[in-house]
Amino acid sequence: MENEQLEHLRHSCAHLLAAAVLELYPHAKRTIGPAIANGFYYDFDFGEQKLTDADLPAIEKRMSVIAPTWKKFDRKEVEAKEAKSIFADNEYKHELIDEFSGEGQKLTLYTSGNYVDLCRGGHAENPGKELKHFKLLSIAGAYWRGDEKNKMLTRIYGTCFPTRQELDDYLKQIEEAKKRDHRKLGKELELFSLIDEVGPGLPLFYPKGALLRRSVENFIIEMQEKKGYEPIWIPHITKGKLYEISGHLDKYDAMYPPMELKDEASYYIKPMNCPHFMMLYKTNHHSYRELPLRWTCTTTNYRYEKSGELSGLTRVRSLTQDDCHVFARPDQIENEINLMLNMIGEAYRVFGFKNFWVRISTHDPKNKGKYIGDPEVWKQSEEVLSKLIQSMGWKHEVGVGEAAFYGPKLDFMVKDVLGREWQLSTIQLDMNLPVRFDLEYVDSDGKKQRPIVIHRAILGSTERFLGILIEHFGGAFPTWLAPVQIIFAPVSSKHAEGAVAIAEEFRSRGMRCEVDKADETVGKKIRNATQKKVPYVVVVGDKELAGEEWMVRVRGVEEQLKISKPEFIERILKEIMEKN
């Protein structure tokens, strides 16, 4: 939330939404209506009635009628019995009342005009004057309390701002975001598909999408191998015993059920890679001279995410990680993390992410049962991460309770071109799993010591990173990333063979290109290439085949580029090499 005043304004608008809904749909049952990033929502049970986005204008109009009549929010403390009588026949509010009163919390009601709601507070001081610039955005389904076992409710999303200009700017941003939606572009550009018969959250990639993800993953692979990182390979299933040792069976709640095999132990499909790395390290004896060992593996994990939380590529059930585990001595921690930080900074520069900050995710001392390991080890680990990120001079904040169950971490929060924030890279300092797996190395005195393990992912999840990247560039990828870098458009069928020969030459030089051999006009071929957001289009006719200079259409540029074939090849190869 940007600030407390804006949060109060939006929470007040959630009350206003509920008031309008109750006037228009008296049978509706209210549940909860919080302020969220960029707006607010309220969940309702409309019974058998189904609302759609077409119903939003009428609700919004009613909100505009009610708002001027609200002078203030009156607060009143009540007992559970009185609260339940006010929300008679509303089992959702009764559940909240029982929960809050059971925790010893004060029950408070807030009244504006004729509307009363159960609420903790935080409202606009003068709602009649402040609640002017709002907009209802969409309707979605949401399970009560986020639990799939509960009833599906109707969630109405909206937003609210202090000024009309801020609201208009945000609505323009939403429209731009719709154009850039990676799910829409994924279909239009033939990048990926989600298919019911395969399963929700399990994306399949077409050739162009596979080329895009390979380009992204190979960039990371090549960069880290130049820094001394070595590839390993691990299987996708394992005995449950492995996750008993690591603690995931007790602490991790997104694992798929085990595969029960006759006369064998139960097997699990892996939701993460750390335990496999640990076991591979443990199979050999290690000297202090070998460390650090920098092992990497780009591999897919499988997590049972709730169906209501799945979203395109940004929230999936099959996620591929550019996973890395560094086994190091304590005196090597600073150098290893600094190396990782520099790699992340370089990756963001190349991918065009200029605006980011770092969350130092620590454990919550009030919830010790959520974590494993010695509290003193946690303290030391968190101090080390804090010191290192401060030395980089990057903007950072502390996120209490955001740590992994086995150690603190650095989470990188990136803003895209629309100002939306995403979590991408992560670095986790782990002094606990080496103990659970009994990892060792022999020091210079011949004594056995515990290594430190540093977990690292730059992309985080390839799928999520691709979803963000598609929207960041709006599908118009720079040349080095574009699945198709050049389209050759023959003027007529008699030029097709020559265009194919040119394309083959370009492919042999490492460029990705296609020939549009469709029986259509050149103009139509150019328009098709423009819709596909291809960086370059070359029309191939008599002059081009005769060796004269080419007229090349450059994406986003009105004037054609006049250039010789050798110069064009040099230009493309340079853009690929320099990652432009």
Side-chain angles (χ1 to χ4, degrees):
M1 195 61 57
E2 297 164 22
N3 57 58
E4 188 177 79
Q5 186 176 2
L6 185 56
E7 180 179 359
H8 290 174
L9 181 70
R10 288 170 172 168
H11 180 56
S12 301
C13 212
H15 280 248
L16 182 62
L17 164 61
V21 165
L22 289 185
E23 288 194 11
L24 296 172
Y25 308 92
H27 65 285
K29 295 179 181 179
R30 296 166 284 168
T31 63
I32 56 174
I36 57 174
N38 298 322
F40 60 89
Y41 70 78
Y42 213 117
D43 288 347
F44 301 91
D45 181 351
F46 286 97
E48 297 300 317
Q49 188 170 7
K50 304 296 181 183
L51 268 65
T52 68
D53 288 350
D55 296 303
L56 296 182
I59 300 173
E60 192 176 294
K61 183 177 180 180
R62 193 60 197 166
M63 290 169 67
S64 297
V65 172
I66 295 171
T69 68
W70 285 10
K71 306 304 179 186
K72 60 178 180 177
F73 284 87
D74 288 318
R75 179 180 184 275
K76 178 184 178 183
E77 288 188 18
V78 295
E79 297 296 326
K81 184 177 180 180
E82 181 181 353
K84 286 186 174 182
S85 68
I86 292 173
F87 299 100
D89 301 322
N90 187 328
E91 63 271 25
Y92 306 102
K93 293 293 188 182
H94 284 201
E95 182 178 324
L96 294 173
I97 291 166
D98 289 337
E99 179 181 315
F100 297 156
S101 59
E103 295 172 351
Q105 298 184 41
K106 292 180 179 179
L107 296 175
T108 53
L109 302 177
Y110 280 84
T111 302
S112 290
N114 297 322
Y115 180 76
V116 182
D117 208 345
L118 180 72
C119 181
R120 289 194 177 104
H123 302 99
E125 292 184 5
N126 192 335
K129 292 184 177 180
E130 296 178 51
L131 295 178
K132 292 181 177 180
H133 312 296
F134 53 82
K135 181 71 177 177
L136 297 185
L137 302 173
S138 62
I139 288 180
Y143 292 107
W144 169 235
R145 310 304 290 267
D147 190 334
E148 291 177 308
K149 297 177 183 178
N150 292 334
K151 185 172 182 178
M152 176 70 77
L153 304 174
T154 299
R155 176 170 294 179
I156 301 179
Y157 284 102
T159 191
C160 184
F161 286 89
T163 67
R164 169 57 61 180
Q165 185 62 53
E166 288 174 287
L167 176 61
D168 289 344
D169 290 345
Y170 180 69
L171 295 178
K172 288 178 183 177
Q173 184 186 69
I174 289 178
E175 289 305 309
E176 181 62 26
K178 289 179 181 178
K179 295 177 186 176
R180 291 172 176 262
D181 190 320
H182 74 279
R183 294 163 295 188
K184 172 177 173 288
L185 291 173
K187 183 176 181 180
E188 293 174 355
L189 303 180
E190 295 183 1
L191 299 176
F192 71 93
S193 183
L194 290 158
I195 303 170
D196 286 342
E197 289 80 1
V198 175
L202 303 171
L204 290 81
F205 287 80
Y206 298 109
K208 291 183 178 65
L211 283 169
L212 176 64
R213 70 177 294 155
R214 190 176 72 182
S215 296
V216 169
E217 290 177 346
N218 282 352
F219 169 74
I220 300 298
I221 290 170
E222 291 168 7
M223 178 173 66
Q224 63 191 9
E225 289 187 1
K226 289 177 182 177
K227 302 293 185 182
Y229 289 74
E230 298 178 293
I232 67 167
W233 188 91
I234 60 177
H236 287 231
I237 63 173
T238 181
K239 288 182 178 180
K241 180 66 176 177
L242 186 66
Y243 294 131
E244 289 179 14
I245 298 171
S246 67
H248 286 97
L249 279 183
D250 293 331
K251 301 292 184 181
Y252 198 75
D253 61 1
M255 294 175 67
Y256 276 93
M259 293 175 275
E260 303 292 349
L261 305 177
K262 186 177 180 180
D263 300 326
E264 281 201 48
S266 297
Y267 280 76
Y268 286 84
I269 191 166
K270 66 181 174 72
M272 71 291 296
N273 310 307
C274 318
H276 290 77
F277 277 77
M278 306 295 162
M279 293 305 299
L280 197 58
Y281 176 92
K282 191 174 180 178
T283 56
N284 292 327
H285 295 289
H286 300 282
S287 164
Y288 72 98
R289 293 186 180 91
E290 297 175 60
L291 305 185
L293 281 180
R294 303 171 182 139
W295 286 353
T296 71
C297 186
T298 300
T299 182
T300 302
N301 295 317
Y302 304 88
R303 299 176 183 174
Y304 184 64
E305 304 287 359
K306 295 177 180 177
S307 60
E309 296 177 350
L310 299 174
S311 179
L313 297 179
T314 57
R315 194 69 179 267
V316 295
R317 287 175 171 170
S318 60
L319 60 150
T320 306
Q321 293 184 313
D322 59 316
D323 215 348
C324 167
H325 291 79
V326 174
F327 300 86
R329 304 190 308 264
D331 63 293
Q332 296 171 324
I333 292 175
E334 186 167 344
N335 285 339
E336 290 307 305
I337 293 183
N338 276 333
L339 177 61
M340 295 173 180
L341 293 176
N342 287 325
M343 291 169 68
I344 290 171
E346 172 64 10
Y348 288 178
R349 182 193 68 77
V350 169
F351 287 115
F353 297 132
K354 300 177 182 178
N355 192 353
F356 67 91
W357 61 276
V358 184
R359 182 177 65 210
I360 305 173
S361 298
T362 65
H363 78 296
D364 182 358
K366 297 179 181 178
N367 190 6
K368 295 180 180 179
K370 183 180 176 183
Y371 312 95
I372 61 175
D374 186 335
E376 187 60 31
V377 171
W378 275 89
K379 181 181 178 182
Q380 293 173 9
S381 304
E382 291 168 356
E383 287 176 351
V384 168
L385 289 182
S386 181
K387 172 189 172 185
L388 290 174
I389 205 64
Q390 288 178 28
S391 68
M392 293 295 292
W394 290 341
K395 180 183 176 183
H396 60 277
E397 296 178 5
V398 175
V400 177
E402 297 293 335
F405 73 86
Y406 50 77
K409 56 181 179 170
L410 300 175
D411 292 319
F412 286 73
M413 316 301 290
V414 175
K415 281 191 176 181
D416 65 14
V417 292
L418 295 180
R420 298 169 303 181
E421 199 165 74
W422 307 90
Q423 181 190 332
L424 295 182
S425 310
T426 184
I427 297 174
Q428 302 173 1
L429 185 55
D430 184 356
M431 299 181 185
N432 288 308
L433 287 185
V435 175
R436 294 182 75 95
F437 282 91
D438 195 25
L439 304 186
E440 297 177 340
Y441 69 91
V442 178
D443 67 14
S444 57
D445 296 325
K447 296 179 180 179
K448 293 182 178 180
Q449 303 291 348
R450 292 266 186 243
I452 303 299
V453 175
I454 308 171
H455 309 241
R456 186 234 69 196
I458 296 177
L459 302 178
S461 155
T462 298
E463 290 78 13
R464 188 164 189 245
F465 191 91
L466 289 175
I468 295 164
L469 200 68
I470 292 167
E471 297 188 356
H472 183 72
F473 288 112
F477 304 107
T479 302
W480 77 278
L481 274 178
V484 178
Q485 296 160 333
I486 311 157
I487 283 186
F488 293 101
V491 172
S492 67
S493 58
K494 73 176 184 178
H495 303 103
E497 185 176 342
V500 169
I502 293 173
E504 289 176 352
E505 178 187 353
F506 274 57
R507 290 193 195 101
S508 72
R509 301 285 297 273
M511 290 168 273
R512 296 188 291 271
C513 51
E514 291 182 351
V515 178
D516 187 345
K517 293 183 284 187
D519 185 17
E520 296 174 336
T521 65
V522 170
K524 181 66 181 299
K525 292 178 180 180
I526 292 171
R527 287 193 294 275
N528 289 341
T530 300
Q531 289 176 351
K532 293 177 181 178
K533 304 180 186 294
V534 176
Y536 294 99
V537 183
V538 179
V539 175
V540 180
D542 292 335
K543 292 182 179 180
E544 288 75 18
L545 293 177
E548 296 184 24
E549 287 190 319
W550 291 2
M551 299 302 293
V552 179
R553 285 166 174 78
V554 183
R555 183 183 59 204
V557 179
E558 287 190 18
E559 189 174 345
Q560 295 184 60
L561 173 67
K562 189 175 183 179
I563 191 170
S564 69
K565 176 182 170 182
E567 289 174 329
F568 184 57
I569 291 175
E570 182 181 355
R571 173 178 175 139
I572 300 301
L573 292 178
K574 183 179 179 182
E575 290 183 3
I576 294 171
M577 182 182 67
E578 296 181 354
K579 303 291 187 292
N580 292 323

